[in-house]
Amino acid sequence: MKSFHIITFGCQMNEHDSERMTGILEARGCASASVAGDADMVILNTCSIREKAEQKFYSELGRLKKLKDEKPGLKIAVAGCIAQQEGSNILSRAPYVDLIFGPSDIARLSHVVDKSLSQPSPVIDTAGDPEYHRKRLPAARADKIKAWVSIMYGCDNFCTYCVVPYLRGRERSRPPDDIINEVRELAQKGYKEVTLLGQNVNSYGKGLEQSADFPSLLRLVNDVPGIERIRFVTSHPRDLSEKLTVAVRDLPKVCEFLHLPIQSGSDRILASMNRKYTRAEYLDKIMRLRDSVSGLALTTDIIVGFPGETEQDFELTVTLLEEAQYDGIFAFKYSKRPGTAALNLSGHVPERIKEERLARVLDLQKAITEKKNKALSGTVQEVLVDGHSKRGGTITGRTRGNKAVNIDGPASLIGSLVHVEIISTGVNSLTGKICE
Ligand code: 5AD
Ligand code: SF4
């Protein structure tokens, strides 16, 4: 096999898994092809969080079938969450698939590729590697300034709508030394920002031999010379401790930005989702956060139309958004996922109502985001310049609060921190002028 092409669906975890796969395949001498048509193997790194992600995967698979008809030697591999969920079932729908492996099998990628190359029949390996979190794997990162670093895998929360714990397994934290070594290497390569990744980073450290928790990990990363900014996703509101608030406040490299998914504003729905916090507890936490961390930017996830969500429950989500004043939200229509507890709840909400509710929260949030961005007009923001701008200005970057800023400035600033005065604002981005 000389070349491969990876198509990635889903979250940052998956994006980063694809970087790992690229690193492993490049280490064995294969080259990454920029289009599927030029590759000997195409890997679909799949997502199963909502039905729509699954549909996207099956339509892509259909396109690849046509490519394989023209090019019979082409190997098609399915990786990621759908591979884990469906395993050999994928073959009954798509018998032309050659290789199926899950998210915790990536360390064996080279081995399964060899096996697939040596046999015509499909190879399926979704057993998972119990030691995966201790493996030090190469990664070919797409970006040269900002890097994702996994700190933990899996999830123990079992929110009733969510398929992740069934696919990515129980929580396993990477040893702190491995993480710090990786961050040091990144700094040596010139990376300026790291985003620590995990399904629930706040509970980092569970089950580790070396005692560690997330705030202490942040301190260690903060001490790595060369790294200028630290971000992390995702945080579970229940596990957001006072100690973490203090770390975000006091550690200079940790950005004043938090993604804190609430999901719903109704206590009845939160209980039914098994979120283990109430609306009041959540609002209290964000109030304390904002009191201690000045300039904190906050984003969240919302699910509309969860089973049993009445008009009154939904109104509570609307008023929650008004109260919380997020900088941005990700909102989704509830989607039935195989094997999850919410499937068996009564009161599934009709699609039309879900759509109306989704449109309403998105409209409301758009106005809030617009207003919050407008408030930044005239302020001076620290921006990490990370590339050429696609619209307006010549270069682009992000504020510490993770807002995109377009700036008129030379490309030589890419990779640097600059101070920028915000001169105009929109919903999706800001425009800034470099301060002398
Ligand atoms: N339906 C809709 N949204 C979901 N999410 C997770 N599972 C589902 C589902 N079954 C959303 C949650 C989560 C985000 C990553 O995806 O809001 O925080
Ligand atoms: Fe990521 Fe979850 Fe999708 Fe898997 S199912 S790719 S963990 S969002």
Side-chain angles (χ1 to χ4, degrees), residues 49-50 161-162 261 263 301-303 332-335 337:
I49 195 93
R50 283 170 290 274
Y161 49 81
C162 188
Q263 314 297 0
D301 291 341
I302 296 287
I303 297 178
F332 312 101
K333 293 181 282 181
Y334 167 75
S335 169
R337 301 321 293 136

Side-chain angles (χ1 to χ4, degrees), residues 126-360:
T126 55
D129 176 349
E131 289 299 303
Y132 185 64
H133 59 295
R134 287 190 227 279
K135 297 279 156 74
R136 296 176 196 173
L137 301 171
R141 290 179 161 88
D143 197 287
K144 297 292 168 231
I145 298 158
K146 303 187 284 186
W148 286 309
V149 176
S150 294
I151 63 162
M152 48 136 36
Y153 302 107
C155 180
D156 286 350
N157 285 325
F158 291 95
C159 302
T160 55
Y161 49 81
C162 188
V163 80
V164 171
Y166 304 96
L167 306 181
R168 297 215 169 218
R170 295 296 72 72
E171 270 178 37
R172 289 143 294 151
S173 292
R174 286 181 70 198
D177 291 349
D178 287 3
I179 297 169
I180 297 306
N181 284 337
E182 188 173 339
V183 175
R184 283 205 189 105
E185 278 168 29
L186 289 166
Q188 276 157 13
K189 286 183 185 153
Y191 282 89
K192 295 289 186 293
E193 178 177 308
V194 289
T195 299
L196 307 179
L197 286 182
Q199 299 294 346
N200 182 12
V201 291
N202 302 155
S203 67
Y204 172 79
K206 258 202 252 172
L208 278 175
E209 287 144 30
Q210 209 175 334
S211 124
D213 61 10
F214 187 57
S216 49
L217 182 72
L218 281 177
R219 280 178 202 279
L220 294 174
V221 178
N222 191 75
D223 287 342
V224 176
I227 295 299
E228 315 243 26
R229 281 182 169 185
I230 305 165
R231 300 185 189 279
F232 52 89
V233 276
T234 281
S235 306
H236 192 295
R238 183 206 48 205
D239 299 323
L240 192 126
S241 60
E242 192 59 35
K243 202 172 160 192
L244 179 66
T245 306
V246 170
V248 176
R249 184 193 65 196
D250 293 349
L251 298 175
K253 295 177 185 174
V254 175
C255 289
E256 297 74 27
F257 169 78
L258 211 65
H259 181 62
L260 200 60
I262 174 108
Q263 314 297 0
S264 166
S266 153
D267 284 342
R268 214 174 61 79
I269 296 297
L270 287 172
S272 177
M273 287 175 163
N274 191 29
R275 290 292 287 175
K276 304 188 188 96
Y277 54 82
T278 62
R279 171 195 179 107
E281 283 162 358
Y282 179 98
L283 284 170
D284 183 58
K285 278 197 180 177
I286 64 170
M287 198 183 72
R288 283 164 193 268
L289 266 166
R290 283 183 166 138
D291 278 349
S292 22
V293 184
S294 71
L296 181 83
L298 202 61
T299 59
T300 203
D301 291 341
I302 296 287
I303 297 178
V304 298
F306 185 77
E309 186 186 74
T310 62
E311 206 49 52
Q312 283 101 321
D313 292 315
F314 175 67
E315 284 305 324
L316 287 166
T317 297
V318 171
T319 57
L320 179 109
L321 292 180
E322 284 162 349
E323 266 181 68
Q325 295 284 306
Y326 294 106
D327 290 271
I329 63 168
F330 298 91
F332 312 101
K333 293 181 282 181
Y334 167 75
S335 169
K336 292 181 181 169
R337 301 321 293 136
T340 57
L343 262 187
N344 305 319
L345 293 173
S346 56
H348 280 268
V349 176
E351 187 62 21
R352 188 182 52 80
I353 295 183
K354 285 190 211 172
E355 263 158 25
E356 278 170 19
R357 290 180 184 171
L358 181 68
R360 212 172 132 207

Side-chain angles (χ1 to χ4, degrees), residues 374-385:
K374 209 170 200 167
L376 295 175
S377 207
T379 64
V380 172
Q381 300 285 324
E382 180 203 272
V383 173
L384 175 59
V385 182

